[in-house]
Amino acid sequence: MTAEVRVRYAPSPTGHLHIGNARTALFNYLFARNQGGKFIIRVEDTDMKRNVEGGEENQLKYLKWLGIDWDESTDIGGGYGPYRQSERLDIYREYWQDLLDRGLAYRCYCTEEELEAEREEQMARGETPRYSGKHRELTTEQQQAFEAEGRVASIRFRVPEGRTYTFDDMVKGPITFDTAETGDFVIVKKDGIPTYNFAVVLDDHLMRISHVLRGEDHISNTPRQLMIYEAFGWDPPIFAHMTLIVNEQKKKLSKRDESIIQFIEQYDRLGYLPEAMFNFIALLGWSPEGEQEMFTRDELIQVFAANRLSKSPAVFDTNKLSWMNNEYLKNADVARVVDLCLPHLQEAGRIADVLDEAGREWITALVALHQDKLRCASDIVPVTELFFRDSVVDEAEAAEVLAEETVPAVLSAFLERIEADGASFDVEGIKAMIKEVQKETGCKGKALFMPIRAALTGQTHGPDLNQSIVLLGKEKVAARLRERLA
């Protein structure tokens, strides 16, 4: 094994970047950067039937969006390529032929129907289904006879009998498997494509991968991989199997679970900040020392330690993600938040696709007014709805306020000042008008401010009243006050 820390994220382009895969990539990235090592991306694309168009590109695009960079991959090359499995078939062929030549693998001509019948018979007997090894010792004549029938062989690895394999997992501790639990397994399919457990060993060894951080669903693959390492006389990497991500009902996160948004590009489209997502994902199954939860990428690199990986499932807390993204949005430059909000306002038909300078200034002021309340940029549509309505919809509390005896006097006095010639319709001007209404009516505090807010917005709580009035605009404010007084 190389002394240099080299880790990899190896996605299959069978879909877009999922939250679970993003976590695997992020933990490998943090580990590599913390250890001064290399982070490699290798594309496992040999399942041609399941590959989706743009899958690889989406994976790389959204890893970059999250703030993850890498040292070697399909897009930048490196000294251990190719980094796409479909381009490594000649390499795999050399090694599986070596296993055949040494009798550590053999050709199996069983049909799918025969294998299924075998499985059903074993289950009927109460046995765990496993390949019986019926083609382990075929003669040359028997092989030729099968080939004459038109049968195509797969290649199976000859599992050592009566052996146990143990590895010391960085998360789980020592794990032991008995070979009695494993039948001879396929390493090359009938179509000549190597299986995952074979190809991943060759790739990891030849790319000098020192540590493998992956989900615990891969634990059952590990003994098969250890057998292949042993067959070639290679030292295996150090394994760390991370616990599952579960939803708030403690059920395994499934792509069919609609209670949680699961793909990174969806978070991008909704207006989550990548640095918030990076921070949140880093805490899914890993915890720092102390109570701090908000970290920059550089801070996470500095404090990341694999021995802090959790032994318990990581709960995907949607409320915590909303809180965290809100914290990042509150502290972001308003121009950046405006750029995130614009597509949502445009898609909702609230604003034009092309804005002039005045329109941009108005939207900027609108976003700034609500910035501290946004969980994600798409929230700008519902939270600003009252600024785009032709009429006001009253909440129950607002209706109660508007029924109070002094309300007509307050609204009438305010309307008079709004319509007065030379009235300054900016924040300072509005403040002055409301102060004059106070003097005229004798109303102050809630009796003064609540009726104005309720009449104009239909609400009793909201962002800064003076700025809200300015953004509503003189004509809309006057029209809403007249409607209330009619």
Side-chain angles (χ1 to χ4, degrees), residues 198-328:
F198 183 67
V200 73
V201 169
L202 298 183
D203 292 341
D204 284 348
H205 174 74
L206 296 174
M207 293 182 183
R208 300 180 181 273
I209 300 303
S210 64
H211 297 73
V212 172
L213 283 68
R214 59 189 181 186
E216 68 179 13
D217 51 329
H218 281 287
I219 288 178
S220 59
N221 290 321
T222 309
R224 297 183 179 193
Q225 293 166 18
L226 291 174
M227 294 176 205
I228 295 171
Y229 277 108
E230 181 182 69
F232 288 114
W234 299 335
D235 291 330
I238 296 170
F239 293 99
H241 288 92
M242 300 170 288
T243 56
L244 299 173
I245 301 174
V246 297
N247 63 20
E248 290 170 46
Q249 288 72 48
K250 306 299 173 65
K251 293 181 179 179
K252 179 183 176 182
L253 203 60
S254 162
K255 292 179 182 179
R256 294 183 295 276
D257 183 352
E258 296 182 358
S259 67
I260 293 175
I261 299 167
Q262 302 211 25
F263 292 94
I264 300 300
E265 73 179 285
Q266 292 174 290
Y267 288 100
D268 178 25
R269 290 175 181 172
L270 286 169
Y272 284 77
L273 292 177
E275 55 267 39
M277 293 300 300
F278 190 105
N279 192 161
F280 176 76
I281 294 171
L283 300 177
L284 281 176
W286 174 84
S287 60
E289 295 183 9
E291 301 299 319
Q292 182 179 346
E293 290 190 297
M294 303 289 286
F295 293 90
T296 66
R297 179 178 63 170
D298 289 344
E299 286 172 338
L300 284 165
I301 289 171
Q302 184 69 31
V303 301
F304 187 83
N307 63 5
R308 302 286 302 177
L309 287 168
S310 175
K311 292 177 171 58
S312 303
V315 178
F316 192 104
D317 186 337
T318 53
N319 290 327
K320 182 174 181 178
L321 174 56
S322 294
W323 165 80
M324 186 170 283
N325 198 56
N326 171 254
E327 290 295 313
Y328 276 90

Side-chain angles (χ1 to χ4, degrees), residues 58-114:
N58 184 274
Q59 294 268 346
L60 298 182
K61 173 181 177 180
Y62 281 99
L63 289 174
K64 289 178 182 175
W65 179 83
L66 281 170
I68 295 173
D69 57 87
W70 44 89
D71 302 289
E72 302 168 26
S73 187
T74 56
D75 58 338
I76 59 175
Y80 299 91
Y83 293 92
R84 195 177 284 113
Q85 281 189 337
S86 60
E87 298 170 4
R88 298 174 62 82
L89 297 179
D90 288 342
I91 297 172
Y92 304 138
R93 190 174 293 109
E94 174 188 345
Y95 285 93
W96 82 58
Q97 186 60 52
D98 174 59
L99 292 179
L100 287 170
D101 293 343
R102 291 190 286 132
L104 299 178
Y106 60 93
R107 300 187 189 279
C108 172
Y109 294 85
C110 291
T111 65
E112 285 301 317
E113 292 75 18
E114 289 170 339

